[in-house]
Amino acid sequence: QGQLMESGGGTVQTGGSLRLSCDISAFTSSDYVMGWYRVLPGNSRRVGVAALNSLGNLGYAEAVKGRFTISKDNSKKILYLQMDSLKPEDTGVYYCAADPNQFLLNWWVTSWVYTEDALRAWGKGTLVTVSS
């Protein structure tokens, strides 16, 4: 599978919103789990934020439930992460990722990874900064 590509990061004030996009056209598996990880400042691990799978299920990490929304535009082959009510602790680098194993959803949003070996495809990341 090829490289994914994120866009939409930037700087926003506390309480503001951002929408991240990920071009997933290079990922062609009909079975999938895909979503977002983030790396917080001073940390090296990638923490699962939100994901969806080819069975129609969605999942969110507890820290973002009720504030973030993941969605996918099948015609444009874009994965989105709508982030509302942003907090300074949401600051970090956000990565899009995907894998053919659609049963990884619960694992995705309750765990973290240290390397890209855990999943098939990754983007290079986009920086989100939430100022207080």
PDB file of all heavy atoms in Angstrom, residues 60-91:
ATOM      1  N   TYR A  60     -13.652   5.973  19.157  1.00  0.00           N
ATOM      2  CA  TYR A  60     -12.943   7.167  19.601  1.00  0.00           C
ATOM      3  C   TYR A  60     -12.237   6.889  20.919  1.00  0.00           C
ATOM      4  O   TYR A  60     -12.757   6.166  21.770  1.00  0.00           O
ATOM      5  CB  TYR A  60     -13.917   8.334  19.811  1.00  0.00           C
ATOM      6  CG  TYR A  60     -14.626   8.768  18.573  1.00  0.00           C
ATOM      7  CD1 TYR A  60     -15.872   8.245  18.229  1.00  0.00           C
ATOM      8  CD2 TYR A  60     -14.053   9.714  17.722  1.00  0.00           C
ATOM      9  CE1 TYR A  60     -16.514   8.638  17.076  1.00  0.00           C
ATOM     10  CE2 TYR A  60     -14.704  10.116  16.566  1.00  0.00           C
ATOM     11  CZ  TYR A  60     -15.932   9.576  16.252  1.00  0.00           C
ATOM     12  OH  TYR A  60     -16.577   9.969  15.103  1.00  0.00           O
ATOM     13  N   ALA A  61     -11.085   7.515  21.080  1.00  0.00           N
ATOM     14  CA  ALA A  61     -10.421   7.487  22.369  1.00  0.00           C
ATOM     15  C   ALA A  61     -11.240   8.294  23.363  1.00  0.00           C
ATOM     16  O   ALA A  61     -11.921   9.252  22.987  1.00  0.00           O
ATOM     17  CB  ALA A  61      -9.017   8.068  22.241  1.00  0.00           C
ATOM     18  N   GLU A  62     -11.175   7.911  24.631  1.00  0.00           N
ATOM     19  CA  GLU A  62     -11.962   8.598  25.659  1.00  0.00           C
ATOM     20  C   GLU A  62     -11.665  10.091  25.699  1.00  0.00           C
ATOM     21  O   GLU A  62     -12.557  10.904  25.925  1.00  0.00           O
ATOM     22  CB  GLU A  62     -11.676   7.970  27.025  1.00  0.00           C
ATOM     23  CG  GLU A  62     -12.297   6.609  27.255  1.00  0.00           C
ATOM     24  CD  GLU A  62     -13.815   6.658  27.286  1.00  0.00           C
ATOM     25  OE1 GLU A  62     -14.366   7.684  27.718  1.00  0.00           O
ATOM     26  OE2 GLU A  62     -14.453   5.669  26.872  1.00  0.00           O
ATOM     27  N   ALA A  63     -10.428  10.458  25.452  1.00  0.00           N
ATOM     28  CA  ALA A  63     -10.025  11.862  25.569  1.00  0.00           C
ATOM     29  C   ALA A  63     -10.680  12.773  24.535  1.00  0.00           C
ATOM     30  O   ALA A  63     -10.709  13.990  24.717  1.00  0.00           O
ATOM     31  CB  ALA A  63      -8.505  11.964  25.450  1.00  0.00           C
ATOM     32  N   VAL A  64     -11.211  12.197  23.458  1.00  0.00           N
ATOM     33  CA  VAL A  64     -11.764  13.026  22.386  1.00  0.00           C
ATOM     34  C   VAL A  64     -13.237  12.766  22.133  1.00  0.00           C
ATOM     35  O   VAL A  64     -13.845  13.428  21.280  1.00  0.00           O
ATOM     36  CB  VAL A  64     -10.972  12.837  21.079  1.00  0.00           C
ATOM     37  CG1 VAL A  64      -9.486  13.079  21.306  1.00  0.00           C
ATOM     38  CG2 VAL A  64     -11.215  11.464  20.471  1.00  0.00           C
ATOM     39  N   LYS A  65     -13.835  11.834  22.859  1.00  0.00           N
ATOM     40  CA  LYS A  65     -15.246  11.517  22.641  1.00  0.00           C
ATOM     41  C   LYS A  65     -16.112  12.743  22.851  1.00  0.00           C
ATOM     42  O   LYS A  65     -15.933  13.495  23.811  1.00  0.00           O
ATOM     43  CB  LYS A  65     -15.696  10.415  23.606  1.00  0.00           C
ATOM     44  CG  LYS A  65     -15.406   9.017  23.123  1.00  0.00           C
ATOM     45  CD  LYS A  65     -15.957   7.972  24.074  1.00  0.00           C
ATOM     46  CE  LYS A  65     -15.658   6.577  23.587  1.00  0.00           C
ATOM     47  NZ  LYS A  65     -16.133   5.544  24.533  1.00  0.00           N
ATOM     48  N   GLY A  66     -17.050  12.951  21.925  1.00  0.00           N
ATOM     49  CA  GLY A  66     -17.947  14.091  22.011  1.00  0.00           C
ATOM     50  C   GLY A  66     -17.381  15.362  21.414  1.00  0.00           C
ATOM     51  O   GLY A  66     -18.108  16.347  21.260  1.00  0.00           O
ATOM     52  N   ARG A  67     -16.092  15.354  21.083  1.00  0.00           N
ATOM     53  CA  ARG A  67     -15.465  16.549  20.502  1.00  0.00           C
ATOM     54  C   ARG A  67     -14.949  16.312  19.091  1.00  0.00           C
ATOM     55  O   ARG A  67     -14.945  17.220  18.272  1.00  0.00           O
ATOM     56  CB  ARG A  67     -14.300  17.002  21.384  1.00  0.00           C
ATOM     57  CG  ARG A  67     -14.694  17.357  22.797  1.00  0.00           C
ATOM     58  CD  ARG A  67     -13.542  17.992  23.563  1.00  0.00           C
ATOM     59  NE  ARG A  67     -12.396  17.101  23.693  1.00  0.00           N
ATOM     60  CZ  ARG A  67     -11.169  17.391  23.236  1.00  0.00           C
ATOM     61  NH1 ARG A  67     -10.942  18.529  22.602  1.00  0.00           N
ATOM     62  NH2 ARG A  67     -10.178  16.534  23.407  1.00  0.00           N
ATOM     63  N   PHE A  68     -14.487  15.115  18.806  1.00  0.00           N
ATOM     64  CA  PHE A  68     -13.939  14.780  17.491  1.00  0.00           C
ATOM     65  C   PHE A  68     -14.910  13.869  16.743  1.00  0.00           C
ATOM     66  O   PHE A  68     -15.577  13.034  17.353  1.00  0.00           O
ATOM     67  CB  PHE A  68     -12.605  14.055  17.629  1.00  0.00           C
ATOM     68  CG  PHE A  68     -11.453  14.897  18.119  1.00  0.00           C
ATOM     69  CD1 PHE A  68     -11.651  16.168  18.663  1.00  0.00           C
ATOM     70  CD2 PHE A  68     -10.161  14.422  18.034  1.00  0.00           C
ATOM     71  CE1 PHE A  68     -10.602  16.938  19.113  1.00  0.00           C
ATOM     72  CE2 PHE A  68      -9.087  15.178  18.483  1.00  0.00           C
ATOM     73  CZ  PHE A  68      -9.321  16.431  19.018  1.00  0.00           C
ATOM     74  N   THR A  69     -14.919  14.025  15.414  1.00  0.00           N
ATOM     75  CA  THR A  69     -15.753  13.185  14.574  1.00  0.00           C
ATOM     76  C   THR A  69     -14.954  12.696  13.376  1.00  0.00           C
ATOM     77  O   THR A  69     -14.382  13.514  12.646  1.00  0.00           O
ATOM     78  CB  THR A  69     -16.982  13.957  14.077  1.00  0.00           C
ATOM     79  OG1 THR A  69     -17.721  14.473  15.192  1.00  0.00           O
ATOM     80  CG2 THR A  69     -17.893  13.035  13.261  1.00  0.00           C
ATOM     81  N   ILE A  70     -14.933  11.399  13.186  1.00  0.00           N
ATOM     82  CA  ILE A  70     -14.239  10.823  12.035  1.00  0.00           C
ATOM     83  C   ILE A  70     -15.256  10.479  10.954  1.00  0.00           C
ATOM     84  O   ILE A  70     -16.376  10.056  11.248  1.00  0.00           O
ATOM     85  CB  ILE A  70     -13.425   9.566  12.439  1.00  0.00           C
ATOM     86  CG1 ILE A  70     -12.535   9.105  11.280  1.00  0.00           C
ATOM     87  CG2 ILE A  70     -14.331   8.447  12.943  1.00  0.00           C
ATOM     88  CD1 ILE A  70     -11.545   8.020  11.682  1.00  0.00           C
ATOM     89  N   SER A  71     -14.861  10.710   9.708  1.00  0.00           N
ATOM     90  CA  SER A  71     -15.751  10.382   8.587  1.00  0.00           C
ATOM     91  C   SER A  71     -14.906  10.104   7.350  1.00  0.00           C
ATOM     92  O   SER A  71     -13.708  10.384   7.322  1.00  0.00           O
ATOM     93  CB  SER A  71     -16.739  11.509   8.326  1.00  0.00           C
ATOM     94  OG  SER A  71     -16.059  12.686   7.947  1.00  0.00           O
ATOM     95  N   LYS A  72     -15.574   9.577   6.344  1.00  0.00           N
ATOM     96  CA  LYS A  72     -14.860   9.178   5.115  1.00  0.00           C
ATOM     97  C   LYS A  72     -15.727   9.505   3.919  1.00  0.00           C
ATOM     98  O   LYS A  72     -16.919   9.199   3.909  1.00  0.00           O
ATOM     99  CB  LYS A  72     -14.561   7.679   5.193  1.00  0.00           C
ATOM    100  CG  LYS A  72     -13.810   7.063   4.049  1.00  0.00           C
ATOM    101  CD  LYS A  72     -13.446   5.644   4.418  1.00  0.00           C
ATOM    102  CE  LYS A  72     -12.833   4.885   3.262  1.00  0.00           C
ATOM    103  NZ  LYS A  72     -13.879   4.373   2.356  1.00  0.00           N
ATOM    104  N   ASP A  73     -15.123  10.140   2.942  1.00  0.00           N
ATOM    105  CA  ASP A  73     -15.793  10.422   1.676  1.00  0.00           C
ATOM    106  C   ASP A  73     -15.291   9.392   0.670  1.00  0.00           C
ATOM    107  O   ASP A  73     -14.150   9.468   0.212  1.00  0.00           O
ATOM    108  CB  ASP A  73     -15.493  11.839   1.216  1.00  0.00           C
ATOM    109  CG  ASP A  73     -16.285  12.228  -0.021  1.00  0.00           C
ATOM    110  OD1 ASP A  73     -16.451  11.375  -0.921  1.00  0.00           O
ATOM    111  OD2 ASP A  73     -16.714  13.389  -0.088  1.00  0.00           O
ATOM    112  N   ASN A  74     -16.123   8.422   0.349  1.00  0.00           N
ATOM    113  CA  ASN A  74     -15.691   7.325  -0.525  1.00  0.00           C
ATOM    114  C   ASN A  74     -15.427   7.793  -1.956  1.00  0.00           C
ATOM    115  O   ASN A  74     -14.526   7.279  -2.624  1.00  0.00           O
ATOM    116  CB  ASN A  74     -16.724   6.220  -0.531  1.00  0.00           C
ATOM    117  CG  ASN A  74     -16.806   5.512   0.808  1.00  0.00           C
ATOM    118  OD1 ASN A  74     -15.798   5.268   1.458  1.00  0.00           O
ATOM    119  ND2 ASN A  74     -18.016   5.187   1.240  1.00  0.00           N
ATOM    120  N   SER A  75     -16.180   8.756  -2.424  1.00  0.00           N
ATOM    121  CA  SER A  75     -16.002   9.202  -3.812  1.00  0.00           C
ATOM    122  C   SER A  75     -14.696   9.983  -3.983  1.00  0.00           C
ATOM    123  O   SER A  75     -14.010   9.847  -4.996  1.00  0.00           O
ATOM    124  CB  SER A  75     -17.191  10.046  -4.257  1.00  0.00           C
ATOM    125  OG  SER A  75     -17.292  11.209  -3.462  1.00  0.00           O
ATOM    126  N   LYS A  76     -14.350  10.772  -2.970  1.00  0.00           N
ATOM    127  CA  LYS A  76     -13.116  11.551  -3.042  1.00  0.00           C
ATOM    128  C   LYS A  76     -11.915  10.795  -2.470  1.00  0.00           C
ATOM    129  O   LYS A  76     -10.780  11.241  -2.597  1.00  0.00           O
ATOM    130  CB  LYS A  76     -13.284  12.857  -2.277  1.00  0.00           C
ATOM    131  CG  LYS A  76     -14.319  13.804  -2.865  1.00  0.00           C
ATOM    132  CD  LYS A  76     -14.412  15.076  -2.041  1.00  0.00           C
ATOM    133  CE  LYS A  76     -15.440  16.026  -2.620  1.00  0.00           C
ATOM    134  NZ  LYS A  76     -15.562  17.275  -1.797  1.00  0.00           N
ATOM    135  N   LYS A  77     -12.200   9.675  -1.793  1.00  0.00           N
ATOM    136  CA  LYS A  77     -11.151   8.898  -1.124  1.00  0.00           C
ATOM    137  C   LYS A  77     -10.383   9.776  -0.132  1.00  0.00           C
ATOM    138  O   LYS A  77      -9.143   9.851  -0.142  1.00  0.00           O
ATOM    139  CB  LYS A  77     -10.214   8.252  -2.141  1.00  0.00           C
ATOM    140  CG  LYS A  77     -10.921   7.270  -3.073  1.00  0.00           C
ATOM    141  CD  LYS A  77      -9.964   6.492  -3.914  1.00  0.00           C
ATOM    142  CE  LYS A  77     -10.684   5.624  -4.922  1.00  0.00           C
ATOM    143  NZ  LYS A  77     -11.599   4.666  -4.262  1.00  0.00           N
ATOM    144  N   ILE A  78     -11.141  10.432   0.713  1.00  0.00           N
ATOM    145  CA  ILE A  78     -10.596  11.300   1.746  1.00  0.00           C
ATOM    146  C   ILE A  78     -11.153  10.848   3.094  1.00  0.00           C
ATOM    147  O   ILE A  78     -12.347  10.599   3.235  1.00  0.00           O
ATOM    148  CB  ILE A  78     -10.983  12.771   1.524  1.00  0.00           C
ATOM    149  CG1 ILE A  78     -10.469  13.266   0.177  1.00  0.00           C
ATOM    150  CG2 ILE A  78     -10.452  13.636   2.661  1.00  0.00           C
ATOM    151  CD1 ILE A  78      -8.971  13.453   0.112  1.00  0.00           C
ATOM    152  N   LEU A  79     -10.274  10.783   4.073  1.00  0.00           N
ATOM    153  CA  LEU A  79     -10.644  10.523   5.458  1.00  0.00           C
ATOM    154  C   LEU A  79     -10.543  11.844   6.209  1.00  0.00           C
ATOM    155  O   LEU A  79      -9.569  12.576   6.037  1.00  0.00           O
ATOM    156  CB  LEU A  79      -9.706   9.487   6.068  1.00  0.00           C
ATOM    157  CG  LEU A  79     -10.002   9.032   7.491  1.00  0.00           C
ATOM    158  CD1 LEU A  79     -11.247   8.152   7.523  1.00  0.00           C
ATOM    159  CD2 LEU A  79      -8.813   8.288   8.070  1.00  0.00           C
ATOM    160  N   TYR A  80     -11.552  12.122   7.041  1.00  0.00           N
ATOM    161  CA  TYR A  80     -11.576  13.385   7.766  1.00  0.00           C
ATOM    162  C   TYR A  80     -11.529  13.155   9.272  1.00  0.00           C
ATOM    163  O   TYR A  80     -11.957  12.116   9.775  1.00  0.00           O
ATOM    164  CB  TYR A  80     -12.861  14.152   7.442  1.00  0.00           C
ATOM    165  CG  TYR A  80     -13.006  14.563   6.005  1.00  0.00           C
ATOM    166  CD1 TYR A  80     -13.874  13.872   5.160  1.00  0.00           C
ATOM    167  CD2 TYR A  80     -12.305  15.638   5.486  1.00  0.00           C
ATOM    168  CE1 TYR A  80     -14.027  14.246   3.835  1.00  0.00           C
ATOM    169  CE2 TYR A  80     -12.452  16.020   4.157  1.00  0.00           C
ATOM    170  CZ  TYR A  80     -13.310  15.308   3.340  1.00  0.00           C
ATOM    171  OH  TYR A  80     -13.463  15.693   2.029  1.00  0.00           O
ATOM    172  N   LEU A  81     -11.054  14.173   9.953  1.00  0.00           N
ATOM    173  CA  LEU A  81     -11.184  14.237  11.401  1.00  0.00           C
ATOM    174  C   LEU A  81     -11.607  15.654  11.748  1.00  0.00           C
ATOM    175  O   LEU A  81     -10.812  16.589  11.642  1.00  0.00           O
ATOM    176  CB  LEU A  81      -9.883  13.881  12.111  1.00  0.00           C
ATOM    177  CG  LEU A  81      -9.998  13.824  13.644  1.00  0.00           C
ATOM    178  CD1 LEU A  81     -10.889  12.658  14.075  1.00  0.00           C
ATOM    179  CD2 LEU A  81      -8.625  13.705  14.303  1.00  0.00           C
ATOM    180  N   GLN A  82     -12.861  15.802  12.100  1.00  0.00           N
ATOM    181  CA  GLN A  82     -13.384  17.093  12.542  1.00  0.00           C
ATOM    182  C   GLN A  82     -13.115  17.225  14.025  1.00  0.00           C
ATOM    183  O   GLN A  82     -13.566  16.383  14.819  1.00  0.00           O
ATOM    184  CB  GLN A  82     -14.880  17.185  12.259  1.00  0.00           C
ATOM    185  CG  GLN A  82     -15.530  18.460  12.756  1.00  0.00           C
ATOM    186  CD  GLN A  82     -15.050  19.693  12.011  1.00  0.00           C
ATOM    187  OE1 GLN A  82     -14.877  19.653  10.790  1.00  0.00           O
ATOM    188  NE2 GLN A  82     -14.840  20.781  12.726  1.00  0.00           N
ATOM    189  N   MET A  83     -12.388  18.267  14.390  1.00  0.00           N
ATOM    190  CA  MET A  83     -12.004  18.470  15.786  1.00  0.00           C
ATOM    191  C   MET A  83     -12.636  19.752  16.295  1.00  0.00           C
ATOM    192  O   MET A  83     -12.321  20.845  15.806  1.00  0.00           O
ATOM    193  CB  MET A  83     -10.478  18.533  15.905  1.00  0.00           C
ATOM    194  CG  MET A  83      -9.775  17.321  15.313  1.00  0.00           C
ATOM    195  SD  MET A  83      -7.995  17.325  15.598  1.00  0.00           S
ATOM    196  CE  MET A  83      -7.513  18.746  14.630  1.00  0.00           C
ATOM    197  N   ASP A  84     -13.518  19.628  17.244  1.00  0.00           N
ATOM    198  CA  ASP A  84     -14.215  20.765  17.838  1.00  0.00           C
ATOM    199  C   ASP A  84     -13.841  20.884  19.318  1.00  0.00           C
ATOM    200  O   ASP A  84     -13.325  19.947  19.920  1.00  0.00           O
ATOM    201  CB  ASP A  84     -15.724  20.604  17.690  1.00  0.00           C
ATOM    202  CG  ASP A  84     -16.170  20.535  16.242  1.00  0.00           C
ATOM    203  OD1 ASP A  84     -15.646  21.316  15.431  1.00  0.00           O
ATOM    204  OD2 ASP A  84     -17.041  19.702  15.930  1.00  0.00           O
ATOM    205  N   SER A  85     -14.153  22.050  19.879  1.00  0.00           N
ATOM    206  CA  SER A  85     -13.869  22.307  21.300  1.00  0.00           C
ATOM    207  C   SER A  85     -12.435  21.921  21.653  1.00  0.00           C
ATOM    208  O   SER A  85     -12.181  21.239  22.650  1.00  0.00           O
ATOM    209  CB  SER A  85     -14.851  21.522  22.184  1.00  0.00           C
ATOM    210  OG  SER A  85     -16.177  21.877  21.894  1.00  0.00           O
ATOM    211  N   LEU A  86     -11.514  22.368  20.833  1.00  0.00           N
ATOM    212  CA  LEU A  86     -10.120  21.982  21.012  1.00  0.00           C
ATOM    213  C   LEU A  86      -9.540  22.545  22.300  1.00  0.00           C
ATOM    214  O   LEU A  86      -9.883  23.654  22.730  1.00  0.00           O
ATOM    215  CB  LEU A  86      -9.290  22.429  19.810  1.00  0.00           C
ATOM    216  CG  LEU A  86      -9.454  21.527  18.576  1.00  0.00           C
ATOM    217  CD1 LEU A  86      -8.989  22.244  17.320  1.00  0.00           C
ATOM    218  CD2 LEU A  86      -8.687  20.228  18.775  1.00  0.00           C
ATOM    219  N   LYS A  87      -8.655  21.756  22.885  1.00  0.00           N
ATOM    220  CA  LYS A  87      -7.989  22.111  24.126  1.00  0.00           C
ATOM    221  C   LYS A  87      -6.479  22.153  23.896  1.00  0.00           C
ATOM    222  O   LYS A  87      -5.981  21.491  22.985  1.00  0.00           O
ATOM    223  CB  LYS A  87      -8.297  21.061  25.194  1.00  0.00           C
ATOM    224  CG  LYS A  87      -9.768  20.787  25.422  1.00  0.00           C
ATOM    225  CD  LYS A  87      -9.956  19.646  26.398  1.00  0.00           C
ATOM    226  CE  LYS A  87     -11.415  19.323  26.613  1.00  0.00           C
ATOM    227  NZ  LYS A  87     -11.603  18.204  27.571  1.00  0.00           N
ATOM    228  N   PRO A  88      -5.747  22.875  24.736  1.00  0.00           N
ATOM    229  CA  PRO A  88      -4.285  22.885  24.578  1.00  0.00           C
ATOM    230  C   PRO A  88      -3.669  21.485  24.606  1.00  0.00           C
ATOM    231  O   PRO A  88      -2.678  21.233  23.913  1.00  0.00           O
ATOM    232  CB  PRO A  88      -3.824  23.722  25.772  1.00  0.00           C
ATOM    233  CG  PRO A  88      -4.953  24.655  26.025  1.00  0.00           C
ATOM    234  CD  PRO A  88      -6.204  23.835  25.737  1.00  0.00           C
ATOM    235  N   GLU A  89      -4.266  20.577  25.365  1.00  0.00           N
ATOM    236  CA  GLU A  89      -3.727  19.215  25.440  1.00  0.00           C
ATOM    237  C   GLU A  89      -3.973  18.399  24.178  1.00  0.00           C
ATOM    238  O   GLU A  89      -3.511  17.267  24.075  1.00  0.00           O
ATOM    239  CB  GLU A  89      -4.288  18.467  26.653  1.00  0.00           C
ATOM    240  CG  GLU A  89      -5.786  18.486  26.789  1.00  0.00           C
ATOM    241  CD  GLU A  89      -6.274  19.582  27.727  1.00  0.00           C
ATOM    242  OE1 GLU A  89      -5.747  20.725  27.655  1.00  0.00           O
ATOM    243  OE2 GLU A  89      -7.191  19.298  28.527  1.00  0.00           O
ATOM    244  N   ASP A  90      -4.697  18.976  23.203  1.00  0.00           N
ATOM    245  CA  ASP A  90      -4.850  18.318  21.905  1.00  0.00           C
ATOM    246  C   ASP A  90      -3.687  18.653  20.974  1.00  0.00           C
ATOM    247  O   ASP A  90      -3.588  18.098  19.875  1.00  0.00           O
ATOM    248  CB  ASP A  90      -6.158  18.743  21.233  1.00  0.00           C
ATOM    249  CG  ASP A  90      -7.379  18.255  21.964  1.00  0.00           C
ATOM    250  OD1 ASP A  90      -7.402  17.084  22.377  1.00  0.00           O
ATOM    251  OD2 ASP A  90      -8.327  19.070  22.122  1.00  0.00           O
ATOM    252  N   THR A  91      -2.820  19.562  21.396  1.00  0.00           N
ATOM    253  CA  THR A  91      -1.666  19.931  20.585  1.00  0.00           C
ATOM    254  C   THR A  91      -0.788  18.722  20.314  1.00  0.00           C
ATOM    255  O   THR A  91      -0.471  17.952  21.225  1.00  0.00           O
ATOM    256  CB  THR A  91      -0.846  21.021  21.301  1.00  0.00           C
ATOM    257  OG1 THR A  91      -1.624  22.213  21.359  1.00  0.00           O
ATOM    258  CG2 THR A  91       0.462  21.303  20.577  1.00  0.00           C
TER     259      THR A  91
END
